[in-house]
Amino acid sequence: MPILPLASLFSIYGCCQCCHEAGGDGVDLVTLDAKRGTSVAPALEENAKLQHISKNMNSHEETRVRKTAGTWGYALQILYQVCAGAVTLTDCVFWFVLYPFLTSADYRLSFMDVSMHSINAVFLLGDVFLNGLRFPFFRIAYFILLTGIFVIFHWIIHACVSMWWPYPFLDLSLPHAPIWYLGVGLLHLPCYSVFALIVRMKHLCLSRLFPDAY
């Protein structure tokens, strides 16, 4: 899945940024203390007391503050949400439509078929339980846009070159092709909704199991 190396690169970039900011703050504090000629321990004690008081007074307000993501952060979120819907749709179509009804009896699954239509869902579910990204429902528009680009790309390729269709219902020469396209288009809503429900259940379970830390 292309999102895995991209997510790793963004995570490494974020860790480097945090280390750089933390290092810069430490240098500024040491320089300021050296210029003033004061000890660090009293300042740390006073800061700890002030932080403790401010946390008690504004604990509810701090939980509502959410740091906005940058450009790459939003790009990662969109890729993650698009892949969630696309994996659900592709796996459901393959295992519930193509494999039982449109493949021959002597058809054998290759490792690539299984990995593209099973292992991707396992990795994506693992990513869901490990990250804290939001999953707003309005971004189903990006999912529909990706499907449209995929279909148009295959139309152009097959209009120029005679080759095998990866999904037979995309073939426009079939008499029932409009019904297939309509059915797949309607499947976008439940597929994206199922994944949004999984993310919502994860947040609900974590908030109940860890009410203080979550």
Side-chain angles (χ1 to χ4, degrees):
M1 293 176 64
I3 191 175
L4 295 178
L6 285 174
S8 301
L9 290 175
F10 291 151
S11 298
I12 294 172
Y13 175 73
C15 291
C16 292
Q17 265 196 332
C18 290
C19 293
H20 178 71
E21 292 176 359
D25 293 341
V27 172
D28 292 339
L29 288 175
V30 172
T31 305
L32 185 62
D33 291 332
K35 288 181 178 180
R36 290 181 177 178
T38 58
S39 61
V40 181
L44 291 176
E45 292 179 359
E46 292 177 359
N47 290 334
K49 291 179 181 179
L50 291 175
Q51 290 177 0
H52 181 70
I53 295 173
S54 63
K55 284 182 180 179
N56 291 332
M57 294 177 62
N58 302 321
S59 58
H60 296 288
E61 294 180 1
E62 289 179 355
T63 55
R64 298 175 184 175
V65 176
R66 184 183 297 272
K67 187 177 180 179
T68 58
T71 303
W72 293 110
Y74 281 119
L76 177 62
Q77 289 184 22
I78 292 172
L79 282 175
Y80 160 66
Q81 291 147 6
V82 167
C83 287
V87 166
T88 308
L89 177 63
T90 306
D91 292 2
C92 289
V93 169
F94 182 82
W95 290 111
F96 296 115
V97 177
L98 294 181
Y99 183 71
F101 299 109
L102 299 180
T103 55
S104 59
D106 57 349
Y107 178 76
R108 293 184 178 180
L109 290 174
S110 64
F111 176 77
M112 186 63 66
D113 293 331
V114 176
S115 63
M116 286 193 304
H117 301 96
S118 297
I119 301 178
N120 55 0
V122 175
F123 278 112
L124 193 60
L125 287 174
D127 196 4
V128 169
F129 292 104
L130 290 176
N131 69 47
L133 297 177
R134 301 175 63 191
F135 204 88
F137 196 81
F138 72 89
R139 284 186 179 160
I140 190 176
Y142 294 103
F143 173 35
I144 298 173
L145 181 62
L146 175 69
T147 305
I149 294 173
F150 175 79
V151 171
I152 294 172
F153 173 77
H154 273 280
W155 284 349
I156 296 173
I157 293 296
H158 285 82
C160 300
V161 181
S162 179
M163 57 184 297
W164 172 74
W165 286 88
Y167 299 99
F169 55 84
L170 293 177
D171 190 355
L172 294 176
S173 62
L174 295 176
H176 302 294
I179 300 177
W180 279 111
Y181 276 92
L182 178 61
V184 174
L186 294 176
L187 277 176
H188 280 71
L189 187 60
C191 288
Y192 199 85
S193 301
V194 166
F195 219 91
L197 180 62
I198 293 174
V199 176
R200 184 67 61 87
M201 290 176 62
K202 180 198 77 170
H203 290 300
L204 182 62
C205 292
L206 290 178
S207 61
R208 290 184 177 182
L209 292 174
F210 309 101
D212 295 331
Y214 189 73

